[in-house]
């Protein structure tokens, strides 16, 4: 596996060219986006797409997101309706994925046999340049092994994969830290299949959005599987006096022979346990969450995490935590 380090903003096109050639030849490239690192292959090459599923250990019935670098490319692979076109206009490029009717050029392996395709135009310059130089849309799931927290640093990708990946483009930490919002535009009211940094509130400025019932989640097959799980148990505490409760819980766990760790915002007053600071704002929290889970997982067997209010990006944070562990209101 090769590793190339680039500046996320002022890189040279030639630094990306080798990786683009690998995509064109049907190989696997791990690359940064503004959300998390992706594990990319030529979306229109069935054999290349199969390699993604193999490397990740991903069930074949879980479709991939197809990444494009311009609007024309969207029309090549999908049939956006009026609503999708408006959302593209408002939010692309950015951390939003739209499920639309698919065109025939997209192989069944990419969409797991569905007649829809999920499309996203990332805003990360390195990702856009890679897609452009590859001259093909790139299908990419998050570059973690199935079940592990998504990678927000190139080191996370290297941790999960060995030689299955041909090259990793390292552009440092990702800015947002949680995967894109997935919206189904083939139904109205629209349905958010996965919450993210483009919030329900932001989409509701334009269209009606319905909360997706658990049963419907089947439409986004990925949401059925266990996710974001470190090997350690994850206990999430939500409420008013959670800080004291977190420390008390950690103390109890330690007495029972466990090795607890704590992930909390503004955590400077917590001591006596391994602590990962989740920052001052919900944006800091989102950016750091997956690294916190991975880091504490190395030294702890139980991770006690501060929960947040399910508003704005808080909804996405709580969605990921609910998949990583158990949530308790205190
Ligand atoms: O931020 C992101 O979206 C990252 C970066 C790399 O772009 N990618 C990512 O991909 O998170 P992945 O494969 O980990 O998650 C894709 C989600 C899954 O829950 C999948 O089931 C859903 O999107 N999805 C993909 N195609 C779909 C489709 N046609 N209909 C419904 N859901 C779909
Ligand atoms: Mg994923």
């Amino acid at each position: 596996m090769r590793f190339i380090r680039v500046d996320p903003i002022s890189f040279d096109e030639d630094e990306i060219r080798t990786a683009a050639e690998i995509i064109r030849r049907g190989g696997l490239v791990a690359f940064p986006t503004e959300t998390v690192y992706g594990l990319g292959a030529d979306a229109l090459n069935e054999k290349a797409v199969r390699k993604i599923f193999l490397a990740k250990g991903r069930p074949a019935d879980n479709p991939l997101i197809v990444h494009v670098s311009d609007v024309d490319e969207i029309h090549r692979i999908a049939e956006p309706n009026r609503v999708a076109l408006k959302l593209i206009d408002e939010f692309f490029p950015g951390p939003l994925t739209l499920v639309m009717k698919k065109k025939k050029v997209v192989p069944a392996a990419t969409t797991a046999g569905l007649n829809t395709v999920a499309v996203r135009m990332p805003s990360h310059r390195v990702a856009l340049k890679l897609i452009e130089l590859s001259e093909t849309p790139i299908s990419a799931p998050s570059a973690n092994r199935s079940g592990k927290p998504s990678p927000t640093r190139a080191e996370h990708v290297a941790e999960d994969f060995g030689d299955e990946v041909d090259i990793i483009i390292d552009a440092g930490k990702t800015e947002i830290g949680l995967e894109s919002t997935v919206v189904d535009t083939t139904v109205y009211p629209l349905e958010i299949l996965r919450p993210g940094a483009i919030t329900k509130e932001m989409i509701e400025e334009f269209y009606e959005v319905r909360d997706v019932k658990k049963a419907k989640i089947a439409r986004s097959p990925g949401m059925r599987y266990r996710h974001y799980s470190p090997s350690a148990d994850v206990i999430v505490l939500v409420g008013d006096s959670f800080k004291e409760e977190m420390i008390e819980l950690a103390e109890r766990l330690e007495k029972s022979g466990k090795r607890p760790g704590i992930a909390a915002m503004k955590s400077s007053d917590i001591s006596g346990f391994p602590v990962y600071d989740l920052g001052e704002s919900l944006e800091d929290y989102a950016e750091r969450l997956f690294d916190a889970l991975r880091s504490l997982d190395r030294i702890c067997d139980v991770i006690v995490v501060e929960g947040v209010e399910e508003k704005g990006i808080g909804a996405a944070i709580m969605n990921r935590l609910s998949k990583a562990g158990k949530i308790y209101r205190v």
Side-chain angles (χ1 to χ4, degrees), residues 111-161:
T111 61
L114 297 175
N115 56 11
T116 55
V117 59
V119 181
R120 159 162 140 75
M121 191 192 298
S123 60
H124 198 292
R125 288 193 194 192
V126 172
L128 288 171
K129 186 52 81 182
L130 175 69
I131 302 163
E132 189 195 312
L133 293 177
S134 302
E135 294 172 359
T136 182
I138 295 182
S139 54
S142 48
N144 54 285
R145 270 202 207 277
S146 274
K148 289 282 160 212
S150 291
T152 53
R153 301 166 185 243
E155 296 79 41
H156 297 162
V157 182
E159 233 166 63
D160 280 15
F161 297 101

Side-chain angles (χ1 to χ4, degrees), residues 79-89 185 188 206-207:
E79 291 175 22
N81 57 23
R82 193 180 50 82
V83 172
L85 286 173
K86 173 71 179 166
L87 293 176
I88 288 166
D89 198 41
T185 67
Y188 200 83
F206 305 95
Y207 296 111

Side-chain angles (χ1 to χ4, degrees), residues 56 58 142 144 150 179 194 227:
K56 269 198 70 127
R58 183 177 177 109
S142 48
N144 54 285
S150 291
E179 309 86 341
R194 180 176 70 186
H227 260 98

